[in-house]
Amino acid sequence: MNQRLLITATTAGLLGGSMLLGLPAASAHPSSPPGQAKTVQLDASLHELNDSGATGTASAVVRNQLIRSIEVQAHGLSPDAPHAMHIHYGDDARNECPTMADATNTRGDTGISRLSTVDGLPAYGPIVVSLTTTGDTSPASALAVSRFPVSADGDLDYSRDRIEFTDVAGTGYPGAGGTGTAKQIADAIRDGEGVVVIHGVDYNHNGRYDFASAGASELDPSLPAEATDPAACGVLR
Ligand SMILES: [Cu+2]
């Protein structure tokens, strides 16, 4: 009898024994510790922010510290413009999408409320993954505008495989720098605390991101706020 047959026979014997004792067979298979060899499917419905008119869906398969695949589809975005997209998460964030009640800005002097990316941080936390089309996917690529998808007439259809979580400073964990490890962050995302945010709102519908309607981005003064303000948001659950 070879080793594999021996193990199979032994396992069958244990299962048979537990059944005889009235125990559920599952008791022979202790569940994995959190974060160990765990694969989950996550889905999000994306809803508009800043009256963008954008809606969409996102879905991801996450195993341990790896996003095996992620897809984002959206409609009604500012047309033919790049849209920065991220997964946001913070250990001390609410892990939900902000509402316009969180807005502290206005569109120029119009008095119309404007939710900036920073306004949304208490809800969705900082960036932990940049959903770029090529190259780096860490928070370092948060504003790599040339590597984010461009909406075709307002539609966006994105997919990417094999994105690894990284350690991220400023994610609100105890200790210096508030650094979360890749494992801590991945565990939280698998637990339904990751928020997908699509950025970019052409408020004055003039066909480009410029400074006319909302000024400069508080994230990078060389970029218009139109390029970085949130357009759609959904929680990956
Ligand atoms: Cu973002």
Side-chain angles (χ1 to χ4, degrees):
M1 183 180 282
N2 70 28
Q3 192 73 13
R4 178 178 292 175
L5 284 172
L6 182 64
I7 290 167
T8 303
T10 305
T11 305
L14 285 171
L15 284 172
S18 64
M19 284 173 184
L20 285 174
L21 291 167
L23 297 170
S27 66
H29 301 275
S31 60
S32 301
Q36 296 292 313
K38 197 175 171 191
T39 304
V40 296
Q41 161 88 40
L42 301 163
D43 296 290
S45 291
L46 308 180
H47 302 283
E48 71 168 359
L49 289 168
N50 283 313
D51 300 315
S52 68
T55 58
T57 57
S59 59
V61 176
V62 182
R63 178 175 174 81
N64 297 338
Q65 281 80 256
L66 178 72
I67 300 172
R68 295 177 73 152
S69 62
I70 183 164
E71 294 183 19
V72 180
Q73 293 185 318
H75 310 282
L77 289 163
S78 299
D80 307 311
H83 290 276
M85 304 196 300
H86 316 108
I87 299 174
H88 289 247
Y89 164 72
D91 188 48
D92 54 356
R94 305 202 300 270
N95 309 124
E96 62 188 27
C97 288
T99 69
M100 293 309 290
D102 296 305
T104 69
N105 292 275
T106 57
R107 297 186 201 176
D109 56 8
T110 62
I112 301 172
S113 286
R114 181 173 72 79
L115 181 92
S116 72
T117 292
V118 171
D119 287 339
L121 290 177
Y124 47 56
I127 294 161
V128 293
V129 173
S130 297
L131 296 173
T132 55
T133 53
T134 60
D136 175 66
T137 52
S138 78
S141 295
L143 295 174
V145 177
S146 66
R147 289 189 291 116
F148 284 107
V150 175
S151 66
D153 201 23
D155 292 344
L156 185 149
D157 192 351
Y158 171 89
S159 66
R160 193 156 177 189
D161 295 337
R162 299 193 63 79
I163 295 175
E164 294 197 38
F165 286 98
T166 59
D167 297 357
V168 181
T171 37
Y173 285 89
T179 299
T181 66
K183 182 181 184 308
Q184 286 173 316
I185 293 167
D187 286 352
I189 302 304
R190 289 198 312 274
D191 283 344
E193 299 190 328
V195 182
V196 171
V197 182
I198 304 177
H199 302 261
V201 187
D202 178 16
Y203 289 117
N204 56 358
H205 305 286
N206 67 351
R208 61 180 187 273
Y209 297 143
D210 59 18
F211 298 84
S213 55
S217 172
E218 65 215 310
L219 304 175
D220 178 348
S222 74
L223 292 174
E226 285 190 338
T228 62
D229 281 0
C233 179
V235 182
L236 284 167
R237 293 194 171 103

